Amino acid sequence: MSYAFVFPGQGSQSVGMLAELAETAPVIGQTFDQASETLGYDLWALTQEGPEARLNQTEVTQPAMLTAGVAVYRALVEATSPSPAYMAGHSLGEYTALVASGALSLAQGVELVEARGRLMQDAVPAGTGAMAAVLGLEDEQITALCAEADGVLEAVNFNAPGQVVIAGEKTAVDQALPAFEAAGAKRVVPLPVSVPSHCVLMKPAAEALAEKLAGMSLQTPTVPVVHNASVQTFADPDAIKSALVEQLYRPVQWVRTIEYLKAQGVSQLYELGPGKVLMGLNRRIDRKMGMQAVYDSATLSKALETL
């Protein structure tokens, strides 16, 4: 069986995440301790006790979710010797995949995504950017309607057939919502975020991220990582750096990522980290592909039966 590990991004975090698994797998707490040393605050205490508003701030959410995904991966590695054919992650999850694959150390990953979150927030003044999920329209319809908007508006997350996220200037997003409904969208849902991720407004953040990456030494991944924007894998560290910069202002091609994995012979996916968001998306992309989320001791045991 050829399988892949996939890692979730922002939105899957919650106060108390991984608490049950941490009771039986000490590596969970150990991984959070390592991340806390880099960050300079107790990340595990924050994820377990909150406050929720602090956990949901992007410069905290990103290192918290990266650490959680790496911790679950390490729990698997301690129990078996997994040999995934590929790794991938949704948006922030791409960094988690790179840490799990050895391209980045945990310290590098945590430092990078904390900076990424801060740079993203700084790139667009609070209240001027927005995102929304559009359900029930074809990708081409959404792209065309975005092009007609007055201001910056782009399709930025191609999550599943009939589920696309748009991002841009808040005024453009607000003005366009009735147009999506008029075109036949089943639902148009504004998202509770302050940063319009993966659109051209993130270019200043991408340029600053490139400067930070320039001073870092990356390694060739031990497992190929499929990148969000290009849906390609790279062995060269400089190419990986370029992919991470590009990812910040270009769309997350999740549908194409899953289709790519299937074309390479992958028949089973394991989502490592809090929640089951990617499993829900992946079922809409390809119901025939095996899928399992790993986030507590029961799901870890179930995964070990098939790995």
Side-chain angles (χ1 to χ4, degrees):
M1 177 186 72
S2 180
Y3 60 89
F5 291 156
V6 294
F7 298 90
Q10 290 189 92
S12 291
Q13 74 276 3
S14 63
V15 174
M17 63 185 185
L18 302 187
E20 190 271 347
L21 183 56
E23 292 178 6
T24 56
V27 72
I28 302 295
Q30 292 163 6
T31 302
F32 273 84
D33 287 345
Q34 290 175 2
S36 297
E37 289 178 16
T38 299
L39 293 167
Y41 62 87
D42 191 335
L43 184 61
W44 180 250
L46 179 54
T47 62
Q48 299 308 298
E49 302 164 14
E52 185 178 18
R54 175 70 175 147
L55 179 60
N56 288 340
Q57 290 175 344
T58 187
E59 74 275 10
V60 175
T61 306
Q62 294 198 33
M65 282 299 299
L66 180 142
T67 304
V70 172
V72 174
Y73 172 72
R74 288 180 173 179
L76 266 182
V77 170
E78 279 201 342
T80 187
S81 298
S83 53
Y86 292 91
M87 294 185 185
H90 189 285
S91 188
L92 163 74
E94 184 172 305
Y95 288 77
T96 316
L98 288 167
V99 173
S101 72
L104 291 167
S105 68
L106 176 63
Q108 285 177 315
V110 167
E111 180 185 338
L112 262 178
V113 299
E114 183 187 42
R116 179 179 183 264
R118 196 165 51 246
L119 292 169
M120 290 169 70
Q121 190 66 70
D122 291 347
V124 179
T128 63
M131 300 180 76
V134 182
L135 309 179
L137 290 181
E138 297 292 328
D139 294 354
E140 295 77 13
Q141 291 177 281
I142 295 171
T143 302
L145 286 168
C146 285
E148 296 173 6
D150 182 16
V152 174
L153 185 62
E154 300 173 21
V156 296
N157 290 4
F158 294 93
N159 286 334
Q163 183 176 333
V164 174
V165 173
I166 59 170
E169 295 168 335
K170 188 177 188 305
T171 52
V173 173
D174 291 345
Q175 290 171 7
L177 297 187
F180 290 112
E181 293 171 348
K186 292 178 182 176
R187 288 178 68 201
V188 182
V189 185
L191 300 179
V193 298
S194 58
V195 175
S197 305
H198 302 292
C199 75
V200 71
L201 297 176
M202 289 293 108
K203 275 266 180 115
E207 291 167 2
L209 184 68
E211 291 181 16
K212 186 164 185 64
L213 278 163
M216 282 191 165
S217 177
L218 275 62
Q219 308 301 316
T220 298
T222 57
V223 177
V225 174
V226 184
H227 292 273
N228 285 181
S230 63
V231 196
Q232 291 178 275
T233 63
F234 301 109
D236 177 56
D238 287 337
I240 293 170
K241 290 180 181 182
S242 296
L244 292 176
V245 173
E246 181 183 45
Q247 188 231 47
L248 208 48
Y249 62 88
R250 285 192 57 200
V252 173
Q253 300 286 355
W254 193 248
V255 174
R256 286 178 53 202
T257 296
I258 301 305
E259 291 172 344
Y260 174 88
L261 292 173
K262 183 180 181 181
Q264 305 310 309
V266 171
S267 59
Q268 175 80 21
L269 298 174
Y270 295 89
E271 177 179 1
L272 309 186
K276 298 180 282 188
V277 169
L278 297 183
M279 293 301 96
L281 298 180
N282 297 346
R283 285 191 186 94
R284 297 187 62 180
I285 298 169
D286 189 343
R287 283 190 168 275
K288 294 180 181 178
M289 187 175 278
M291 299 166 198
Q292 188 179 333
V294 183
Y295 53 85
D296 60 16
S297 56
T299 52
L300 177 64
S301 295
K302 186 178 178 184
L304 292 173
E305 292 173 7
T306 55
L307 282 170

